[in-house]
Amino acid sequence: MEHSSNFVYFLHKITNQEYFSFVKFNHGWWDKIVEYGVDSNVKRLDSRGMQKAARIYSTILQRGGWVTTEDVIARCIYCLKHAHIFGDNFFIGVLHTGSIRSRETPATLNKKVRNKALYRKYISADAHIYNGGLWKQMVKEKSFLYFVDLIRNKTVIIVGPKNPEVGKGFNYLENFGNIFKVKNFHFIGIDNKAACKDFDKILSTLNDLAQNIDDEKVILFKAGPLAAALISKLHGKLSKTYMIDMGHALDIIDPRLANRHWLKRISHIVKWYRKEFKKI
């Protein structure tokens, strides 16, 4: 079931204490499925097909220097294919006009048609689908600070890279709580390229932390495919919890990431945020 791409819908949910989980699978995920033969080598997504797809996908990531496991990728594929079992408060973000490519037929591949065909194959027909770029859109529309205001007095947990992605020293994600004066903040640092191998440990750490907090919780993720695996595993098991895979939307808080492609395109808005952040 395809829905609007508007982030405001989810901000209203937070305002009204309507707890939800949001996972996303944007162009990088779909690019690899098409470009490296995952889709062409897996005809049916039954249990055996999902495991085969996970094996191929994991191999692709490992070639790129990422340490991953079939189980985590299989969990992601399961999350897509069986999204309907997670209930009405579980949402999937996909990039509707993503940059799907194919080395086999680069000149003739109809991106939008291919996207929709992939979605029908990999995503449950009853899934609640939104635009995977809506959190970036929130940043572009200068609403990130409004989002921060909504969550500031709740417990905020961020799962993200333990080391800065650019440069050294200060980790803006780890210091999110201090920067934005969050009432109660926790940070779970992960290895940016090897976190999947620590899935069970990260899951246990996050679950134990969240289970011992009675307040409303907002768990934000910048963790690639690991985010979807963690969220789908914990969905429905934590009380009063919002789990949101924000991904690169969180780049906005680190000035060293201003040269990332999507932020370079909105450099005037990035400058506006830099001024606003100084006022906090």
Side-chain angles (χ1 to χ4, degrees):
M1 185 184 301
E2 193 168 323
H3 297 275
S4 163
S5 61
N6 202 326
F7 62 87
V8 175
Y9 174 75
F10 293 97
L11 300 188
H12 284 323
K13 281 188 168 296
I14 296 173
T15 301
N16 297 327
Q17 296 182 309
E18 298 173 11
Y19 306 108
F20 65 87
S21 296
F22 185 99
V23 302
K24 64 183 181 63
F25 295 87
N26 282 353
H27 62 81
W29 172 271
W30 303 108
D31 283 349
K32 290 180 178 66
I33 284 179
V34 173
E35 190 173 355
Y36 294 97
V38 178
D39 183 53
S40 60
N41 282 285
V42 179
K43 302 304 180 186
R44 294 182 58 193
L45 274 181
D46 51 16
S47 58
R48 182 177 295 180
M50 283 191 282
Q51 201 62 47
K52 182 178 180 180
R55 183 165 61 253
I56 298 171
Y57 200 101
S58 298
T59 301
I60 294 165
L61 292 181
Q62 288 163 13
R63 288 174 187 165
W66 296 78
V67 179
T68 187
T69 66
E70 284 184 33
D71 288 344
V72 168
I73 301 303
R75 182 72 195 175
C76 291
I77 296 172
Y78 180 88
C79 164
L80 283 166
K81 192 64 178 172
H82 298 281
H84 58 281
I85 72 171
F86 295 104
D88 289 337
N89 61 340
F90 186 86
F91 303 91
I92 293 178
V94 297
L95 199 61
H96 292 274
T97 56
S99 56
I100 298 295
R101 303 182 301 272
S102 171
R103 287 175 175 170
E104 297 173 355
T105 56
T108 58
L109 186 63
N110 183 315
K111 294 178 182 179
K112 290 185 178 180
V113 171
R114 187 58 171 164
N115 258 343
K116 291 178 180 178
L118 278 174
Y119 297 163
R120 284 194 295 270
K121 180 174 179 179
Y122 283 86
I123 304 177
S124 165
D126 296 320
H128 298 291
I129 302 174
Y130 280 75
N131 189 315
L134 63 84
W135 301 109
K136 283 184 179 179
Q137 192 61 37
M138 180 180 72
V139 172
K140 293 175 183 177
E141 295 189 21
K142 298 182 178 179
S143 295
F144 180 77
L145 284 173
Y146 177 71
F147 170 73
V148 171
D149 284 340
L150 286 179
I151 68 174
R152 181 177 281 121
N153 292 318
K154 309 180 192 302
T155 293
V156 176
I157 302 170
I158 289 184
V159 179
K162 62 184 177 183
N163 297 313
E165 294 176 80
V166 175
K168 297 181 180 180
F170 192 78
N171 188 333
Y172 283 79
L173 282 182
E174 187 174 4
N175 287 278
F176 183 98
N178 292 327
I179 295 169
F180 296 109
K181 298 179 173 57
V182 175
K183 173 185 173 183
N184 188 19
F185 177 75
H186 302 271
F187 178 71
I188 298 177
I190 62 173
D191 187 319
N192 198 29
K193 282 202 167 187
C196 285
K197 69 178 177 61
D198 297 324
F199 175 78
D200 290 335
K201 180 180 178 181
I202 296 168
L203 176 66
S204 177
T205 299
L206 178 56
N207 181 62
D208 291 348
L209 173 61
Q211 292 286 5
N212 286 306
I213 297 171
D214 293 328
D215 298 336
E216 282 190 283
K217 298 169 283 294
V218 180
I219 308 176
L220 308 178
F221 296 81
K222 186 180 181 182
L226 182 71
L230 289 168
I231 292 172
S232 64
K233 198 75 173 175
L234 291 173
H235 179 75
K237 297 179 181 177
L238 303 176
S239 64
K240 296 185 286 186
T241 301
Y242 309 91
M243 290 189 284
I244 306 172
D245 180 4
M246 294 197 73
H248 286 299
L250 290 171
D251 290 350
I252 191 61
I253 72 172
D254 189 340
R256 293 167 298 189
L257 301 178
N259 285 327
R260 287 207 157 150
H261 179 65
W262 80 278
L263 289 176
K264 285 177 71 174
R265 296 173 65 181
I266 57 166
S267 58
H268 61 294
I269 296 175
V270 173
K271 290 177 182 177
W272 178 86
Y273 274 112
R274 297 276 79 79
K275 292 178 182 178
E276 294 299 311
F277 288 168
K278 290 178 181 177
K279 298 177 184 178
I280 298 174

